[in-house]
Amino acid sequence: VAAQAELYASVLARAGSRPVVFRTLDIGGDKALPYLETSGDANPALGWRGIRVGFDRPDILEDQLGALIRAAGQRLDVVFPMVTELAEFNHARGVLEAELEKARAASLATPADVRVGVMLEVPALLWQLRPLFAAADFVSLGSNDLLQYLFASDRDNPRVNARYDVLSAPLLGLIGEIVSAAAEAAIPLTVCGEIAGRPLEAMALVGCGIERLSMAAAEVPALKRMVRSLDVGALRGLVCDLAGQDHGSVRTAFEDFVRENGVEV
C-alpha cells in the first residue's frame, strides 16, 4: 500500500492543480499482468476482468483504494471499470467508503472531496442510466469495449473489426440518448477510447453533444485544431438528421461536412 500511495502521490504532484481521475485495476480481456493470471477464459472479453477481479480479489481492490486515499490530499476522483449492474457500482462505492472509514479510524488524513465514477462500457447499463446517473458523480463512456459489445465484433479480430463502422446512424442515436440522460441528471460525461482520439470520429461525438474527450497526449493538438475549426451548430443539425436514418455507416456524410465547411481533420 505504501508503494502504491507513493506512486499515486507523484502523479498528483506532477498534475498540480489539474484534476486526476484514477481507475481501479482494469485487468483482463486484452490487458494482462505478469503477477496475476487472468488468461484462463475461453472468451477473455466477456470473462474475468475489471471490477470483477476486484470483487473476487478484495485484497487488491481494498489495497488500491487505501493507497489512493493516502495519496489523494484534498480531492480524490476514482472510477470503476467493467460495471455491469447498478448493484455492482453501489458495492464498489461501499468498499471505498469502508476504506475511508478505516483511514479515519487510524487517524489518517482523508480527502474532503471524493468523487466516484463509473465506466459505461457494458451494454446492460444502458437500461439503468437514470438510477446509475443518480448514484454516480461522473460517467466515462468506454467506447472500445462498449462498441465491440454493441456490434458483437472483436476489435482485435481483422475478419470482423472493419465490418461495422462506428460512424453509424444507430450509434449516433445511442450516444445522443446517453448525452440527454447525463444532462438531465447534471452528470459530467466523458468519452474515452480510440474514437475519442480520431478527429473525424471525435467530431461526430461533439455533434452528439459530447463536451469532454479523453485521449492520449499526442492526439490533443489535432483534436484542438478540429474543434476550433468547427461550426458546432451546423454539425449538431447534421447529426440530428443522420441519427434518424435507417442505414448503417454515415461516414461519407461527415467527410462531406468536413470538405464543405473547412474542418481541419
Side-chain angles (χ1 to χ4, degrees):
V1 174
Q4 284 193 64
E6 184 178 349
L7 174 61
Y8 299 144
S10 69
V11 172
L12 289 165
R14 297 177 82 177
S17 60
R18 291 167 293 184
V20 177
V21 178
F22 292 96
R23 188 187 305 188
T24 58
L25 185 65
D26 192 7
I27 201 64
D30 58 351
K31 298 181 282 289
L33 287 176
Y35 59 82
L36 186 64
E37 179 56 56
T38 59
S39 60
D41 293 322
N43 190 338
L46 302 178
W48 198 56
R49 54 179 303 198
I51 198 62
R52 301 168 182 180
V53 177
F55 289 156
D56 290 348
R57 289 289 307 273
D59 55 321
I60 294 176
L61 180 60
E62 291 166 5
D63 283 354
Q64 183 180 13
L65 293 175
L68 287 169
I69 290 166
R70 290 190 185 189
Q74 289 299 305
R75 175 173 171 177
L76 173 60
D77 293 65
V78 60
V79 62
F80 296 110
M82 200 64 185
V83 171
T84 305
E85 299 175 340
L86 177 61
E88 287 186 338
F89 174 74
N90 289 334
H91 178 60
R93 189 164 196 159
V95 176
L96 175 59
E97 293 293 342
E99 289 303 310
L100 285 165
E101 286 301 319
K102 286 182 187 178
R104 295 183 189 113
S107 300
L108 298 175
T110 58
D113 186 6
V114 178
R115 306 182 193 194
V116 187
V118 61
M119 294 289 298
L120 178 53
E121 51 194 343
V122 179
L125 281 182
L126 296 173
W127 286 269
Q128 304 168 69
L129 287 182
R130 287 190 176 180
L132 180 70
F133 286 3
D137 298 312
F138 62 94
V139 173
S140 180
L141 193 159
S143 63
N144 288 349
D145 277 317
L146 182 61
L147 293 183
Q148 78 166 341
Y149 296 144
L150 286 172
F151 290 116
S153 175
D154 183 354
R155 67 178 185 269
D156 295 323
N157 185 337
R159 289 183 172 181
V160 297
N161 62 9
R163 184 177 295 272
Y164 305 101
D165 195 340
V166 297
L167 291 182
S168 65
L171 184 62
L172 297 179
L174 174 61
I175 293 177
E177 291 179 18
I178 296 171
V179 168
S180 295
E184 182 180 340
I187 289 292
L189 174 66
T190 301
V191 174
C192 66
E194 294 177 5
I195 64 172
R198 298 174 184 165
L200 192 67
E201 283 83 347
M203 184 188 77
L205 293 173
V206 172
C208 291
I210 296 292
E211 297 180 348
R212 298 168 183 251
L213 297 168
S214 175
M215 68 204 71
E219 296 165 341
V220 171
L223 268 292
K224 281 187 174 181
R225 288 194 297 271
M226 180 273 291
V227 170
R228 288 169 177 165
S229 66
L230 272 181
D231 179 341
V232 176
L235 174 62
R236 290 188 174 172
L238 171 67
V239 169
C240 185
D241 291 340
L242 294 176
Q245 294 189 9
D246 59 359
H247 55 75
S249 176
V250 291
R251 183 173 295 272
T252 300
F254 282 114
E255 291 171 342
D256 291 344
F257 181 87
V258 165
R259 287 192 297 270
E260 293 166 4
N261 293 272
V263 182
E264 295 187 36
V265 297

